[in-house]
Amino acid sequence: MSAPLGKSATRRTLQSSGRFTGSVTDLLQHMPDEDFVSGCLLLRDCARGDMPRIRKRLADDSELLNFKDYDRRTALHVSASEGHLNCVSMLLDLGANPNLSDRWGGSPLDDAQRHRHVAIAELLRKHGGRGGVNDLGAALIVAASSGNATLVAELIEDGANVNSIDYDRRTPIHLAASEGHPEVVRVLIERGGNVNCEDRWGGTPLDDAIRKGNTDCVAHLEKAGASSNKRLPSRRPSQLAPAAATSASSMEADWADVTVLEKIGAGAFGEIYKCRWRGTLIAAKTMLTHDSAHESAREEAMEDFRREINFLADLRHPNICMLLGYSTTEKHEMMLAELMKCSLLDVMKAFAGTPFSAERTARYAIQFAQGMTFLHTCKPPILHRDLKPANLLLDYSDTLKVSDFGLAKLRPPLNSTEVSQPYKMTGETGSYRFMAPEVYRHEDYALPVDVYSFAMIIYYMVAGEPPFADVDGERAVQLAAVEHARPTIPRSVDILLQELVRAAWDDNPAVRPSFTAILEQLNEYHLHEFKMTFEERMMQKKPTTQASSCACTLI
């Protein structure tokens, strides 16, 4: 029996008028009992795949199509999770929203992927379905920036923090004011948005609105008591501050103290030398002199160069390449670092298609995970974004160290428990073959992208060949990101390691393990495989490298 018209109208008014500002739990408390029962029965029918009953309930009350239970799960969530393709198809044809988020930020597509319902996942994508988000605040920031006032209201009602922040500590009100969306500004203010919050540079939403000439936004903000930060300079400083402003002065190096011994590497905008500095053999990465024909590209390389110094200056860990000094003096821009023997890629090429031994794989994997656990648990966490064998270096004792932080990003957490939440960053950053699917698809991404790259590198170790070795890098990432393919792990690999790799390269970033969890599992694997802990084995046996012919390399 359908719900009385008046009560359905009550639900529609609460959900869509924009006047209801509580959580979904509050919404359900205001919902008539008949409506709640009808919605729950619909979800039960979707779980069973009972097409006739689903059709009848929706014919009686079409408003049930996007009904949410107390976990914010819709009929589409339940049908996708249970693998009922026909039900999903019918709900989509009737206009069900494929991108509503449940209590945990999951979309119907996430449910389909988690339960390996490939056909359903593909159907959802054809209807515009996207992966959900772990942090509804990230989705709120995107909606505010794009001017979608309706979605902004829905996300706040679903539990998004109206004062969520992005990488530069900009809130939804900052972005809406800057982009000129007065209706979004109004909605955010009504929902409790802080009109005087400051971003990374001390700017308020009113500063953004004034600077961009968005007078309607200015009016809303001033009416709500917003103020401008008069101390701000007329122009914001570069996001990439010079390393000398943030690093200890003791790390500033003088080129006169460096004795060049031999050139050991080169790139498009830099060269690497084996040098002696203050009595110690080190490696020096130098920037090439100015070339007017490539000035723009060189400036980008210099930004990466300065960024890398900024990150490395404060990092001290046995599995992170150590920065010893730097100089940003014009024509003598250089970075001094410990001298390494070779890269992991050099070793992989030296093995010429032969998988690493179980001992070597475990040792490198644990050292790799130790370095990444350190980075991801920094405050704020550091996202590498370009993990690949060429950026993992080995010293003369065969210890693996993470290097090359030119693309790294600081991730300021919303709070101590939300270090893995996504936020907007540059798409297609890093190297294609080891790139996470969400990066290639230009979706929001966060710490789990490094976990995906880790999994692909471990696969390279155990398979003796790169992922999707028979195609080029761009085609490899297309297979992973668009066709959701993964390479086949050799059956000879221990099942514990197989399961870890599969979890780490899962298409859904939300279910990939953290590096803290990965390190724990690797230590368990080592104990199971070798009957001793990794530390015990390292004290018992000094490792030797088979890559004696590798060239020296720097970060």
Side-chain angles (χ1 to χ4, degrees), residues 77-217:
H77 278 96
V78 175
S79 299
S81 180
E82 297 300 324
H84 300 308
L85 178 60
N86 290 337
C87 291
V88 171
S89 178
M90 179 183 67
L91 292 168
L92 290 170
D93 289 342
L94 291 173
N97 187 339
N99 291 312
L100 293 178
S101 297
D102 61 19
R103 178 183 296 273
W104 304 278
S107 68
L109 177 58
D110 290 328
D111 285 337
Q113 291 177 330
R114 183 167 56 251
H115 294 287
R116 301 293 190 269
H117 301 314
V118 178
I120 292 177
E122 187 61 31
L123 179 62
L124 287 165
R125 290 191 189 91
K126 288 181 180 178
H127 282 76
R130 303 184 300 272
V133 293
N134 296 328
D135 178 11
L136 292 174
L140 177 62
I141 288 170
V142 175
S145 178
S146 63
N148 192 334
T150 300
L151 181 56
V152 165
E154 290 177 352
L155 287 167
I156 295 172
E157 289 169 6
D158 280 352
N161 182 352
V162 69
N163 294 312
S164 300
I165 59 172
D166 68 2
Y167 168 73
D168 288 321
R169 303 193 66 81
R170 289 163 61 76
T171 66
I173 295 185
H174 276 103
L175 295 167
S178 177
E179 297 299 326
H181 303 307
E183 182 60 19
V184 174
V185 171
R186 181 190 66 79
V187 170
L188 291 167
I189 291 173
E190 290 179 353
R191 268 74 173 173
N194 182 356
V195 296
N196 288 314
C197 49
E198 296 185 357
D199 62 17
R200 176 188 291 265
W201 304 279
T204 66
L206 184 57
D207 291 321
D208 286 336
I210 293 173
R211 188 175 62 256
K212 293 293 187 69
N214 298 325
T215 56
D216 290 342
C217 294

Side-chain angles (χ1 to χ4, degrees), residues 368 372 384-389 392 402 434 450 453-454 457:
F368 187 0
M372 293 309 301
H384 190 284
R385 299 203 299 171
D386 193 21
L387 292 175
K388 57 185 178 181
L392 301 175
V402 180
F434 303 95
D450 286 345
S453 301
F454 168 87
I457 294 170

Side-chain angles (χ1 to χ4, degrees), residues 277-289:
W277 176 66
R278 297 182 181 178
T280 303
L281 286 177
I282 55 96
K285 176 192 284 187
T286 64
M287 297 299 295
L288 294 179
T289 55

Side-chain angles (χ1 to χ4, degrees), residues 200 238-252 306-315 323 326 328 410:
R200 176 188 291 265
S238 170
Q239 181 173 316
L240 295 174
T246 58
S247 303
S249 60
S250 61
M251 297 193 70
E252 295 182 11
R306 295 189 184 100
R307 181 189 294 114
E308 190 168 1
I309 292 173
N310 282 333
F311 279 107
L312 286 172
D314 296 323
L315 297 183
L323 179 71
Y326 68 87
T328 55
L410 286 172

Side-chain angles (χ1 to χ4, degrees), residues 325-337:
Y326 68 87
S327 170
T328 55
T329 303
E330 187 175 0
K331 296 185 180 181
H332 290 294
E333 299 98 342
M334 64 178 177
M335 188 187 313
L336 308 181

Side-chain angles (χ1 to χ4, degrees), residues 336-409:
L336 308 181
E338 56 182 321
L339 187 66
M340 305 297 287
K341 185 168 188 176
C342 60
S343 71
L344 181 63
L345 181 61
D346 294 326
V347 179
M348 288 169 163
K349 289 181 177 179
F351 274 72
T354 303
F356 287 179
S357 66
E359 185 277 333
R360 182 181 292 273
T361 297
R363 174 157 46 86
Y364 287 167
I366 289 174
Q367 291 171 342
F368 187 0
Q370 286 176 166
M372 293 309 301
T373 298
F374 169 76
L375 292 176
H376 281 199
T377 55
C378 285
K379 301 186 187 311
I382 295 175
L383 175 58
H384 190 284
R385 299 203 299 171
D386 193 21
L387 292 175
K388 57 185 178 181
N391 288 341
L392 301 175
L393 305 185
L394 299 167
D395 66 13
Y396 284 86
S397 65
D398 205 29
T399 297
L400 184 144
K401 303 192 179 191
V402 180
S403 71
D404 201 335
F405 290 81
L407 294 178
K409 285 280 188 180

Side-chain angles (χ1 to χ4, degrees), residues 274-320:
K274 181 179 179 180
C275 304
R276 189 174 296 279
W277 176 66
R278 297 182 181 178
T280 303
L281 286 177
I282 55 96
K285 176 192 284 187
T286 64
M287 297 299 295
L288 294 179
T289 55
H290 293 273
D291 179 354
S292 58
H294 301 90
E295 190 61 31
S296 176
R298 186 185 184 279
E299 183 54 35
E300 290 182 7
M302 278 302 302
E303 288 184 353
D304 286 347
F305 185 80
R306 295 189 184 100
R307 181 189 294 114
E308 190 168 1
I309 292 173
N310 282 333
F311 279 107
L312 286 172
D314 296 323
L315 297 183
R316 292 292 183 271
H317 188 274
N319 299 114
I320 302 294

